Amino acid sequence: MNINAESLDFQALNATIREASEKEIVIDHCMGQRYIGAGLSDRQILIHGTPGNALGAYMDGSTITVMGNAQDATGDTMNEGSIIIHGSAGDATGYAMRGGRILVQKDTGYRAGIHMKAYKDKVPVLVMGGRAGSFLGEYQAGGLIIVLNIGGGDKAPVGYFCGTGMHGGKIFLCCKEAPADLPPQVCASPAAAEDLELIRPHVQAYCDAFGGDCDQLLSRDFIVLTPNTSSPYKRLYTAN
C-alpha cells in the first residue's frame, strides 16, 4: 500500500496506517508527522521524507525504514522490532527502549539511549555509524549502545557526560581513549575479543543495511563502558 502523506496531518496519516489491511506500507512525502508506527506489530513501513517525533514509539514487532533523517525520540519505549534510518536521528533516540534494534547510519543528538533497559530475553540495541551528542547512555539500565565512529578520528565519538547515571548495560565506543569526563561510577576498558563477538551480529546488521565490511569495522580499537560495581550510582540515592 502506498500513502501520499503530503496533505495528511499526523492523526490522519496514523489512522490510515492502522486501518490498512496490507502489511507492507510505503509512505511518500512524509513531512514531520509524529507517532508513525506507534504501538504497531507485524507491519513493514518504508518512509520517504522526514518523520516527526516519536517514530516507532511503543512499537511491538514492526520494521520501519526511513530513507532520510528522523527527528527526536525515535523508538521511544519500543518493545520489539527494528528501525533503520538512512541518515541521522535527533535527540533521545532509543529513549527507554525495552527491546528491538535501532540502526542509525550517521549521527544522533543528545541523550541517545537514555533509560534503556533489558529484561530476560529482551535486550535493546542502538547502533550509530557516526557519533553521538552529550549524555549518551544517561541512566542506562541495560542493553547495548554501539558508536562506530565511521570516518572519525581517534577521539571518543561522543559529547559531554557520557554514561552519567549508568547502572546497567554496555556502551561500545570506537576510539583509542575513553571520554575524559567519565564519572567514577562508570568503568572504561579496551574491548576484548568476547566483547567484539557480542556486538558482531549488530555491526553486521548495520553493514547489511547501509554497506560496509563488518570485519573491517571490528578490527579497529573499541572502548567498552560498564557500570562500576565498586562505586554504584545507587549509593547516591539511598541512605546507608
Side-chain angles (χ1 to χ4, degrees), residues 39 69 73 77 80 88 94 99 102 116 121 124 127 170 189 199 224 231:
N69 298 324
T77 325
E80 191 174 348
S88 295
I102 299 176
M116 281 178 62
D121 62 336
V127 184
K170 294 183 178 182
S189 60
I199 65 172
V224 58
S231 183

Side-chain angles (χ1 to χ4, degrees), residues 135-138 140-147 156-164 166-183 185-192 195 198-199 222-229:
F135 296 100
L136 175 71
E138 185 180 28
Q140 183 182 356
L144 302 174
I145 298 174
I146 306 166
V147 188
V158 295
Y160 299 110
F161 311 116
C162 180
T164 299
M166 181 184 186
H167 53 282
K170 294 183 178 182
I171 299 175
F172 289 81
L173 306 177
C174 182
C175 54
K176 290 184 179 296
E177 297 182 1
D181 62 346
L182 286 179
Q185 290 82 15
V186 175
C187 291
S189 60
D195 294 317
L198 176 65
I199 65 172
F222 280 84
I223 298 292
V224 58
L225 308 183
T226 55
N228 183 355
T229 56

Side-chain angles (χ1 to χ4, degrees), residues 118-133:
Y119 180 69
K120 294 186 177 179
D121 62 336
K122 289 193 177 297
V123 180
V125 178
L126 171 60
V127 184
M128 59 213 77
R131 56 178 290 117

Side-chain angles (χ1 to χ4, degrees), residues 51-232:
N53 291 357
L55 171 73
Y58 303 98
M59 196 170 72
D60 197 23
S62 291
T63 297
I64 298 177
T65 302
V66 181
M67 304 307 295
N69 298 324
Q71 294 187 28
D72 297 343
T74 293
D76 180 353
T77 325
M78 68 180 282
N79 191 52
E80 191 174 348
S82 297
I83 299 177
I84 303 166
I85 300 170
H86 289 257
S88 295
D91 296 341
T93 302
Y95 175 85
M97 280 181 73
R98 299 180 295 193
R101 183 166 59 198
I102 299 176
L103 305 175
V104 182
Q105 183 180 18
K106 297 181 181 178
D107 306 327
T108 59
Y110 294 163
R111 289 190 160 90
I114 179 176
H115 285 302
M116 281 178 62
K117 56 197 64 120
Y119 180 69
K120 294 186 177 179
D121 62 336
K122 289 193 177 297
V123 180
V125 178
L126 171 60
V127 184
M128 59 213 77
R131 56 178 290 117
S134 296
F135 296 100
L136 175 71
E138 185 180 28
Y139 305 118
Q140 183 182 356
L144 302 174
I145 298 174
I146 306 166
V147 188
L148 294 175
N149 195 22
I150 297 172
D154 293 335
K155 293 183 178 180
V158 295
Y160 299 110
F161 311 116
C162 180
T164 299
M166 181 184 186
H167 53 282
K170 294 183 178 182
I171 299 175
F172 289 81
L173 306 177
C174 182
C175 54
K176 290 184 179 296
E177 297 182 1
D181 62 346
L182 286 179
Q185 290 82 15
V186 175
C187 291
S189 60
E194 56 267 28
D195 294 317
L196 298 179
E197 287 305 304
L198 176 65
I199 65 172
R200 176 177 289 276
H202 310 298
V203 177
Q204 184 62 60
Y206 178 94
C207 293
D208 292 344
F210 308 119
D213 186 297
C214 180
D215 289 334
Q216 187 275 327
L217 291 177
L218 290 176
S219 69
R220 301 171 303 156
D221 294 309
F222 280 84
I223 298 292
V224 58
L225 308 183
T226 55
N228 183 355
T229 56
S230 66
S231 183

